[in-house]
Amino acid sequence: MAFNQELEAITQAFSGHGVDEKSLVTILGKWDPQERESFRKNTPHSFIEDHERHFQRCDDHYVRLLKHEFVRFKNAVVLWTMHPWERDARLVKEALKKGPSAYGVLVEVACTRSSEELLGARKAYHSLFDHSIEEDVASHIHGIERKLLVALVSAYRYEGSKVKDDTAKSEAKILSNAIKNVHKKPINEDDEVIRILATRSKLHLQAVYKHYKEISGKNLDEDLDDLRFKETVQCLCTPQIYFSKVLNAALRIDVDKNTKKSLTRVIVTRADIDIKDIKAEYHNLYEVSLPQKVEEVARGNYKDFLLNLIARG
Amino acid sequence: NDCVQLIFDFVGWGTDEKGIIVILGHRTVYQRQQIRRAYEEIYQEDLVKRLESEIKGDFEKAVYRWILEPADRDAVLANVAIKSGKNYNIIVEIATILSPEELFAVRRAYLHRYKHSLEEDVAAHTSGHIRQAMGLVTSFRYVGEEINPKLAQNEAEILHDAVKEKKGSYEEAIRILTTRSKTQLIATFNRYREIHGTSISKKLVDEGSDEFQKALYTTIRSINDHIKYYEKVVRNAIKKVGTDEDALTRVIVSRAEKDLKLISDVYYKRNSVLLEHAVAKEISGDYKKFLLTLLGKEE
């Protein structure tokens, strides 16, 4: 391979999700000092030329980035090996620590797990953190999101097939009115909206979703401006669409640290549940196959691991 | 053989209540479920359903409640309370006195029986502050001995502002009472007493209190000392003109296999009368015999 090609290969090895360990071993591993200096000089956003002292210094951001990318595979393995209950408990704890930008994960865990899985997560949370989930969610979150989030993590929804269509219809009407009156009363202060979303069974909510579309012509989540409420409805009523959207946002080269993490989270947590349906929906929405996109954007062991998980089901 | 005897009793319902009392009243929860299963095998009918259709008065109601599995019983009690729109104290009792695992068993039993979740029905039948307080039913409290003293201090103050001074936010008080572990809450109540000189529940309710304040009061008392709380329920049930049989049955049937003895002891200390004597004075007939059997003091 010509050196230019090798340079390109190593640049590629470091760009994307994870690192291409093989290239690093076979190519970078055989470079002599001049070749490595050439690499440093050719990668100005990772190495800063110190003209005064005549060497190329690592950019701090580059060092941090490398750390995250090397460890991405390890994190995926650890998350995959963990008991699903512990997984979810840790995801919740991490989201609470990170703050409002991460609260979508709380919604995701609370709304896309089965009732027993959520109970399991609550038990694991006790074991790991000596507090209850609702205790920590309630005491960490002081703003308008608190009511909805506490209610969501505390739910133990009915999972049977019985749905009262009249009730679903009238609750669709309640939601429609609440949305129309959002300038008078913000949606996160509307106890009835929270009640419906946080206590009704998923089957019931899907009926509500259907009736809402009949009444207003739009999808319920499209009409909700508040992000948490939007996510709640998506997770409860159209989870595969929700997960496809999260994956799509994560499967880009230059994306922020937290969005990147959602790739691992979604694939690991759904591999045993509905990854097949998510794959189908992803293809439906974006006209490219999920494995293909992962192949494009992920690297090395991390990539192979993800592809393996995606191939299940 | 229990069952055969019982069959004759039930088939001839109304003819040998003594048999029912003597047999059922002395059986553990496990044995009662065995009897239920055997009855079903022989008669192809659920004994519980049979009883449901035969309830005429206090005696039948007590036997019916007694024969249900504890989680199922509490689910039924909760449902009755929800539908009545006023006995929130019953829901508070179930949500705070049971262990977190027991409460979840009730939630499961409720799902099974009513095809709705407990929180779904509670929320749909309540509003405002009382609905938020019913967040108690969705709690899954941490069980442990750890106490955070600083937190106890902070939260004692928050509770004081909300509950006594009626300023500050009820939402914070609800948050604390519905999510903290019982150990932490008791530490908080103790800290409150250290700071303010009186117990937090003293003078919390009066005739003018609304359902929400009463629910807060019941929450605090049940968590702090549920034996004393139950003693008061029983005392009021007996004192009341005409006697509140429902409350009496509820406490005696629910606690017979747990801590009814402790409640009786506290009753005696407080009223200088044995509970079984007080009960025997106010009620009569098969109902009286059944309750006395559960109290372990049949005549």
Side-chain angles (χ1 to χ4, degrees):
Chain A
M1 217 197 266
F3 183 65
N4 279 332
Q5 284 173 308
E6 290 188 345
L7 259 181
E8 182 53 35
I10 295 303
T11 308
Q12 278 303 307
F14 283 130
S15 74
H17 297 235
V19 296
D20 177 0
E21 291 91 351
K22 222 195 239 144
S23 296
L24 296 179
V25 166
T26 57
I27 299 175
L28 184 57
K30 76 156 178 61
W31 276 351
D32 61 37
Q34 287 92 324
E35 286 168 319
R36 294 195 311 275
E37 173 157 334
S38 198
F39 169 66
R40 291 193 297 272
K41 287 191 160 141
N42 271 287
T43 327
H45 61 269
S46 306
F47 297 94
I48 304 167
E49 188 77 53
D50 186 331
H51 292 289
E52 194 190 322
R53 300 173 189 82
H54 305 296
F55 79 113
Q56 309 82 34
R57 208 187 76 225
C58 285
D59 173 69
D60 289 330
H61 175 73
Y62 167 70
V63 173
R64 273 196 305 275
L65 199 87
L66 272 191
K67 187 181 77 170
H68 291 308
E69 295 314 331
F70 270 97
V71 105
R72 205 167 290 282
F73 174 53
K74 168 220 147 220
N75 288 337
V77 167
V78 169
L79 201 68
W80 175 245
T81 323
M82 256 185 210
H83 192 290
W85 294 355
E86 178 170 356
R87 209 186 272 161
D88 284 343
R90 289 194 184 273
L91 285 172
V92 167
K93 185 69 164 175
E94 198 187 319
L96 284 176
K97 272 214 211 114
K98 282 216 186 96
S101 64
Y103 291 164
V105 175
L106 297 176
V107 174
E108 188 178 302
V109 170
C111 298
T112 63
R113 310 319 190 224
S114 74
S115 293
E116 289 300 322
E117 285 167 348
L118 183 55
L119 169 59
R122 292 173 85 175
K123 289 187 186 163
Y125 199 95
H126 282 190
S127 170
L128 292 164
F129 305 116
D130 296 343
H131 282 247
S132 65
I133 274 190
E134 62 270 25
E135 184 176 0
D136 279 358
V137 170
S139 60
H140 278 67
I141 301 177
H142 300 285
I144 49 178
E145 302 173 302
R146 183 206 277 184
K147 251 194 222 177
L148 175 69
L149 292 175
V150 171
L152 290 179
V153 300
S154 310
Y156 189 55
R157 299 176 200 259
Y158 170 64
E159 291 184 319
S161 54
K162 194 161 157 247
V163 171
K164 281 211 196 90
D165 205 54
D166 299 331
T167 313
K169 220 180 258 176
S170 69
E171 291 184 344
K173 199 98 195 54
I174 293 174
L175 291 172
S176 168
N177 289 335
I179 289 171
K180 287 203 194 100
N181 286 317
V182 98
H183 49 279
K184 278 193 227 132
K185 185 192 225 178
I187 207 87
N188 35 46
E189 280 171 33
D190 194 319
D191 284 344
E192 280 293 276
V193 174
I194 294 176
R195 169 184 72 77
I196 294 167
L197 294 180
T199 68
R200 290 303 188 198
S201 77
K202 288 180 186 172
L203 220 61
H204 179 99
L205 287 170
Q206 283 157 19
V208 170
Y209 192 85
K210 187 187 80 181
H211 286 298
Y212 183 89
K213 182 115 194 227
E214 286 164 11
I215 300 172
S216 72
K218 302 264 291 294
N219 285 327
L220 178 56
D221 55 303
E222 286 162 18
D223 274 352
L224 286 163
D225 287 324
D226 182 294
L227 182 58
R228 296 285 99 83
F229 280 78
K230 200 192 274 283
E231 286 164 349
T232 301
V233 171
Q234 287 172 349
C235 284
L236 291 167
C237 301
T238 58
Q240 283 91 31
I241 296 180
Y242 165 82
F243 282 122
S244 298
K245 288 191 177 154
V246 171
L247 287 173
N248 187 244
L251 282 164
R252 292 169 213 269
I253 295 284
D254 261 318
V255 92
D256 72 86
K257 190 175 63 159
N258 290 325
T259 313
K260 248 185 183 175
K261 286 184 95 165
S262 51
L263 180 61
T264 305
R265 183 184 78 244
V266 171
I267 293 181
V268 165
T269 58
R270 307 314 287 182
D272 286 325
I273 315 279
D274 53 4
I275 195 71
K276 201 158 159 226
D277 298 323
I278 294 172
K279 250 192 299 189
E281 189 59 55
Y282 187 90
H283 195 242
N284 203 5
L285 287 170
Y286 304 110
E287 286 167 13
V288 64
S289 85
L290 181 61
Q292 202 181 309
K293 203 75 188 131
V294 169
E295 185 70 55
E296 224 177 277
V297 165
R299 304 278 173 264
N301 292 332
Y302 179 64
K303 176 189 77 174
D304 292 337
F305 191 68
L306 289 185
L307 287 175
N308 215 312
L309 297 186
I310 294 172
R312 295 163 90 84
Chain B
N1 20 353
D2 258 4
C3 204
V4 173
Q5 169 91 61
L6 255 184
I7 303 313
F8 289 126
D9 294 339
F10 284 120
V11 168
W13 183 256
T15 54
D16 189 6
E17 283 80 3
K18 180 155 175 265
I20 295 169
I21 295 167
V22 161
I23 293 171
L24 278 182
H26 283 113
R27 296 291 168 269
T28 65
V29 85
Y30 175 66
Q31 288 165 330
R32 300 199 297 279
Q33 299 316 312
Q34 280 190 308
I35 291 175
R36 219 174 132 180
R37 270 192 289 277
Y39 184 93
E40 179 142 11
E41 259 178 55
I42 300 175
Y43 273 86
Q44 263 85 60
E45 173 183 53
D46 184 356
L47 181 54
V48 166
K49 288 253 165 5
R50 178 67 188 271
L51 282 167
E52 268 170 5
S53 65
E54 303 250 9
I55 291 177
K56 293 188 291 280
D58 298 313
F59 170 59
E60 291 86 355
K61 194 190 265 182
V63 173
Y64 164 66
R65 297 238 169 112
W66 179 243
I67 206 164
L68 290 176
E69 276 182 295
D72 200 22
R73 178 193 305 150
D74 285 335
V76 170
L77 286 174
N79 186 259
V80 169
I82 291 168
K83 294 285 161 62
S84 82
K86 50 190 172 82
N87 294 320
Y88 299 112
N89 57 308
I90 295 176
I91 301 174
V92 173
E93 279 171 29
I94 293 169
T96 57
I97 296 173
L98 296 181
S99 76
E101 286 286 356
E102 287 169 338
L103 175 57
F104 243 96
V106 174
R107 288 172 84 173
R108 265 193 212 100
Y110 195 98
L111 276 177
H112 186 75
R113 203 175 243 276
Y114 300 109
K115 312 299 184 227
H116 278 193
S117 65
L118 175 55
E119 64 265 27
E120 190 175 357
D121 281 356
V122 166
H125 285 77
T126 54
S127 63
H129 283 131
I130 192 82
R131 181 193 280 180
Q132 285 174 54
M134 293 296 110
L136 287 170
V137 308
T138 55
S139 71
F140 188 51
R141 298 179 202 262
Y142 172 67
V143 176
E145 298 307 312
E146 296 84 2
I147 295 173
N148 181 330
K150 212 160 104 191
L151 202 60
Q153 165 90 23
N154 287 343
E155 296 191 339
E157 283 314 310
I158 295 172
L159 287 175
H160 179 74
D161 287 343
V163 154
K164 280 301 177 59
E165 305 281 294
K166 309 229 189 328
K167 63 170 153 84
S169 140
Y170 271 140
E171 290 204 12
E172 278 292 279
I174 293 170
R175 168 184 70 77
I176 295 165
L177 292 173
T178 60
T179 65
R180 293 300 183 199
S181 76
K182 288 188 193 170
T183 319
Q184 179 68 30
L185 283 173
I186 291 173
T188 305
F189 299 152
N190 287 339
R191 189 79 195 99
Y192 183 101
R193 199 179 26 243
E194 282 168 23
I195 301 171
H196 297 280
T198 64
S199 133
I200 184 171
S201 58
K202 213 165 198 84
K203 298 205 187 92
L204 186 57
V205 284
D206 49 43
E207 299 76 48
S209 297
D210 61 22
E211 290 299 336
F212 172 63
Q213 285 163 324
K214 284 193 239 165
L216 278 191
Y217 173 76
T218 305
T219 303
I220 293 169
R221 294 218 60 207
S222 303
I223 292 174
N224 208 21
D225 187 338
H226 70 272
I227 305 287
K228 265 203 180 131
Y229 167 79
Y230 271 134
E231 184 277 328
K232 188 164 184 188
V233 172
V234 161
R235 182 175 10 114
N236 287 341
I238 292 172
K239 255 197 337 211
K240 182 166 169 204
V241 177
T243 313
D244 184 351
E245 285 90 2
D246 225 55
L248 202 56
T249 303
R250 182 175 88 249
V251 177
I252 292 178
V253 164
S254 304
R255 309 312 288 181
E257 283 158 317
K258 291 191 164 168
D259 46 21
L260 188 54
K261 177 95 193 20
L262 294 174
I263 299 170
S264 298
D265 291 342
V266 171
Y267 187 90
Y268 180 64
K269 277 205 197 87
R270 178 109 179 20
N271 303 290
S272 302
V273 171
L274 289 169
L275 179 57
E276 55 265 27
H277 289 167
V279 163
K281 243 178 86 182
E282 299 299 321
I283 60 176
S284 60
D286 298 314
Y287 178 51
K288 172 169 109 177
K289 289 190 203 134
F290 190 62
L291 286 194
L292 289 180
T293 305
L294 296 187
L295 277 164
K297 305 281 185 282
E298 49 274 42
E299 290 168 345

